[in-house]
């Protein structure tokens, strides 16, 4: 008898039920619902469509005006990695050395993978910056640091906003390759010790050529999502 080689379906990781939120005077979601599975998920939309605001809502940084977020795969809110690349550094961390900041992440995330950190730090060219203070890093280098740490963190929910912005060509190639491996098929083919299912939600203006997304949510350019 032949054994089935089909992969188990990706479990649902985050659900938005009748969500309502937005900026003052502009509603972005008006009672809309969506479910994000484990794997690699895309939130796609143009400038002003609410991509970043959605990530902030999922991270708990933007208050909901209605509805709720659920986590079907967990008994409580799963571990989260999120850094807003547009937000300034907090004064307490701006003078912190990159090496020390990374060490703090190792302690913060029990499922941290040193192998993944070294792989992505090398692939993104972060080695020359490890002994610099965070405030000395360019916008692009900070984005690379946030992403490398997020992928290594082992967090069940990783939120990434416009990952290719302000990056050099070599880093863009590494990011695209890394994202492709975070899909559900990639998680099944190359599981990482200590990591359960992971949901990586990426906000970007297009689908990024060559990446197979497990889920795509298109945000309307005009009017709230209903």
């Amino acid at each position: 008898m032949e054994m089935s080689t089909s992969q188990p379906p990706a479990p649902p990781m985050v659900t938005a039920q009748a969500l309502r939120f937005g900026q003052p005077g502009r509603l972005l979601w008006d009672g809309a619902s969506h479910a994000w599975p484990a794997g690699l998920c895309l939130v796609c939309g143009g400038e002003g469509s609410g991509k970043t605001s959605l990530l902030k809502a999922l991270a708990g940084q933007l208050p909901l005006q209605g509805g709720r977020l659920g986590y079907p795969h967990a008994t409580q809110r799963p571990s989260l990695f999120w850094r807003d690349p547009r937000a300034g550094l907090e004064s307490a961390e701006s003078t912190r050395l990159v090496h020390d900041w990374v060490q703090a992440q190792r302690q913060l995330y029990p499922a941290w993978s040193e192998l993944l950190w070294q792989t992505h730090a090398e692939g993104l060219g972060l080695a020359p910056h490890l002994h610099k203070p965070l405030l000395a890093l360019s916008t692009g280098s900070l984005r690379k640091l946030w992403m490398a740490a997020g992928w290594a963190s082992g967090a069940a929910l990783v939120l990434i906003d416009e990952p290719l912005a302000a990056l050099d060509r070599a880093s863009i190639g590494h990011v695209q390759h890394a994202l492709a491996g975070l899909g559900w098929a990639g998680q099944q083919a190359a599981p990482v010790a200590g990591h359960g299912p992971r949901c990586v939600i990426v906000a970007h203006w297009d689908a990024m050529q060559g990446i197979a997304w497990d889920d795509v949510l298109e945000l309307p350019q005009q009017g709230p999502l209903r």
Side-chain angles (χ1 to χ4, degrees):
M1 183 176 68
E2 292 185 3
M3 298 293 290
S4 172
T5 58
S6 62
Q7 296 175 349
M13 296 287 285
V14 185
T15 59
Q17 301 171 341
L19 222 59
R20 182 182 174 90
F21 72 89
Q23 305 292 345
R26 188 186 174 205
L27 202 60
L28 295 171
W29 280 43
D30 187 10
S33 299
H34 191 76
W36 289 272
L40 188 61
C41 304
L42 173 67
V43 175
C44 189
E47 188 71 24
S49 61
K51 302 187 299 298
T52 301
S53 294
L54 175 58
L55 296 189
K56 288 181 178 180
L58 293 174
Q61 293 183 349
L62 186 64
L64 302 179
Q65 300 169 24
R68 63 183 297 271
L69 294 171
Y71 310 98
H73 191 70
T75 57
Q76 59 185 358
R77 182 173 180 162
S79 56
L80 167 73
F81 189 96
W82 156 248
R83 286 294 304 231
D84 183 354
R86 295 178 179 82
L89 295 169
E90 298 178 2
S91 57
E93 70 176 0
S94 61
T95 57
R96 199 171 197 179
L97 299 182
V98 173
H99 177 273
D100 295 336
W101 182 87
V102 174
Q103 180 59 29
Q105 307 311 299
R106 291 188 180 98
Q107 298 172 357
L108 184 62
Y109 293 98
W112 178 276
S113 168
E114 192 61 23
L115 175 60
L116 288 180
W117 163 252
Q118 295 295 340
T119 297
H120 296 307
E122 180 180 352
L124 294 171
L126 290 172
H129 303 295
L130 294 179
H131 296 288
K132 298 178 182 178
L134 289 174
L135 60 80
L137 270 61
S138 66
T139 300
S141 293
L142 284 173
R143 281 182 184 269
K144 290 189 280 188
L145 177 62
W146 307 150
M147 284 189 286
W151 296 330
S153 70
L157 179 59
V158 179
L159 309 176
I160 304 175
D161 192 15
E162 296 190 352
L164 305 186
L167 297 191
D168 56 272
R169 182 170 296 182
S171 295
I172 287 174
H174 181 86
V175 168
Q176 290 177 313
H177 179 74
L179 289 176
L182 290 167
W184 181 240
Q187 291 186 34
Q188 296 297 289
V192 177
H195 288 200
R198 306 183 76 188
C199 177
V200 180
I201 302 177
V202 178
H204 199 63
W205 57 80
D206 64 19
M208 282 192 253
Q209 186 177 0
I211 295 181
W213 302 94
D214 294 296
D215 177 80
V216 176
L217 174 61
E218 294 272 0
L219 298 181
Q221 192 64 35
Q222 300 294 331
L225 183 67
R226 293 186 171 92

